[in-house]
Amino acid sequence: MSPASLVGTGGARVQIEGVHKEFPVDGRSTPALVGVSLEVSAGELLCLLGPSGCGKSTLLNIVAGFLPPTGGRVLVDGTPVTGPGPERGVVFQEYVLFPWLTVAQNVEFGPRLTGMEAARCREIVARYLDMVGLREHATKFPVQLSGGMKQRVAIARALANNPSIVLMDEPFGALDAQTREVMQEELSRIQRLEHKTIVFVTHSIREAVYLADRVVVMTRSPGRIKEVFTIKLPEVRDRFAPEFTRYEAAITRLVKEEVAMVRE
Ligand SMILES: Nc1ncnc2c1ncn2[C@@H]1O[C@H](COP(=O)(O)OP(=O)(O)OP(=O)(O)O)[C@@H](O)[C@H]1O
Ligand SMILES: [Mg+2]
């Protein structure tokens, strides 16, 4: 099999159309998201930022098909989302690896479920473990890994299913600052190879400016879209470039407005 045939198939378009979400709180229906409309292009990396409780995870769960919206809808390449699907992979903050399986078996789990032949599964595992730099740890169990390594396994596992969309909810939130930067560099490199459509939730403005094609800033709860920034920086970004810092400052100002209002 040629290496090209193992390469991911690229991204799908996501349309979020007038999404509302209400949750019952003390017997009353309380809005969490109000009229969120957003289009994510195929192959785009979109970061969602906003104060705690503004509905970022709720929105991601609606796109994943884990939660139904109260109103509005989500389309993937024109088809309405009615539940989870294999074209949408998720990587969340907590490491949800199977502790009784090795690193390689965790990555292989999804492809195996599809009935794929063992030799091809092994090729896929090798490709994605190489991509996240964990090939020499293939036979280890999750308990033997650091937080950053576990999160890299989670990313390899999501990509091994060849999703066109990857939904990431604060995937690096539990990592130390240095590991986090390394992970950002790795994700950016993987994205240049795979061109998935990625929706990435973070609290870190620097992380968003480093990774995103566009950054969406949400309002405080109930969440709406406050502003969308297109990040016009080179693919490989320099965190110390003046333009980088300018985006960071502009976005920080907007996020702070919302956080200040939460505190008032
Ligand atoms: N299952 C649920 N039942 C009731 N309320 C919920 C539920 N899930 C979320 N909420 C409420 O919806 C709002 C949005 O929550 P969500 O977790 O989406 O916020 P978030 O932006 O991801 O916050 P954080 O940055 O802290 O992760 C909050 O007010 C939260 O209390
Ligand atoms: Mg959240």
Side-chain angles (χ1 to χ4, degrees):
M1 189 161 305
S2 74
S5 64
L6 285 172
V7 173
T9 52
R13 182 165 62 126
V14 179
Q15 290 161 282
I16 299 167
E17 294 184 344
V19 163
H20 285 256
K21 184 65 187 176
E22 294 183 0
F23 288 112
V25 178
D26 300 331
R28 287 222 327 262
S29 201
T30 310
L33 290 172
V34 179
V36 174
S37 294
L38 200 57
E39 190 166 322
V40 195
S41 313
E44 182 178 23
L45 197 160
L46 184 116
C47 279
L48 278 180
L49 276 173
S52 182
C54 78
K56 302 178 297 293
S57 297
T58 301
L59 185 59
L60 219 59
N61 277 297
I62 290 171
V63 176
F66 297 146
L67 271 181
T70 312
R73 61 180 189 164
V74 176
L75 302 129
V76 170
D77 272 348
T79 305
V81 165
T82 54
E87 81 289 356
R88 279 159 289 144
V90 296
V91 181
F92 289 168
Q93 181 174 359
E94 59 287 353
Y95 318 112
V96 282
L97 301 177
F98 298 123
W100 60 88
L101 297 181
T102 65
V103 165
Q105 287 165 342
N106 263 282
V107 177
E108 196 179 27
F109 188 82
R112 263 289 161 89
L113 272 188
T114 67
M116 193 181 282
E117 62 182 74
R120 176 141 169 81
C121 284
R122 276 197 300 277
E123 282 182 90
I124 288 175
V125 169
R127 169 177 163 79
Y128 289 104
L129 285 186
D130 270 350
M131 198 178 273
V132 298
L134 284 179
R135 196 166 195 174
E136 66 275 30
H137 302 284
T139 57
K140 287 192 176 156
F141 287 90
V143 70
Q144 298 171 284
L145 305 177
S146 71
M149 288 158 87
K150 279 188 247 191
Q151 204 54 315
R152 282 189 272 161
V153 179
I155 292 170
R157 195 177 60 174
L159 293 175
N161 294 316
N162 196 18
S164 47
I165 298 158
V166 188
L167 305 167
M168 306 180 89
D169 196 353
E170 301 189 49
F172 308 149
L175 305 177
D176 66 85
Q178 285 75 32
T179 308
R180 192 168 179 158
E181 288 200 355
V182 171
M183 295 293 290
Q184 290 162 5
E185 285 151 22
E186 234 158 77
L187 179 65
S188 166
R189 186 178 54 75
I190 291 170
Q191 178 59 354
R192 289 196 297 278
L193 290 170
E194 297 270 304
H195 304 291
K196 303 290 184 189
T197 303
I198 301 181
V199 185
F200 187 107
V201 170
T202 179
H203 276 285
S204 163
I205 294 164
R206 280 179 71 74
E207 182 164 87
V209 175
Y210 186 79
L211 290 173
D213 296 305
R214 284 188 302 158
V215 175
V216 173
V217 177
M218 292 175 66
T219 66
R220 68 199 182 280
S221 185
R224 295 179 177 80
I225 290 173
K226 184 178 170 84
E227 195 144 335
V228 181
F229 286 84
T230 302
I231 310 292
K232 295 187 192 116
L233 289 174
E235 269 197 335
V236 180
R237 295 185 181 171
D238 172 6
R239 298 177 209 272
F240 300 102
E243 313 81 66
F244 189 103
T245 314
R246 271 199 289 277
Y247 277 116
E248 205 185 334
I251 296 171
T252 301
R253 260 197 304 279
L254 279 184
V255 173
K256 272 203 175 150
E257 275 175 22
E258 294 302 316
V259 175
M261 284 191 251
V262 171
R263 295 228 174 90
E264 270 165 17

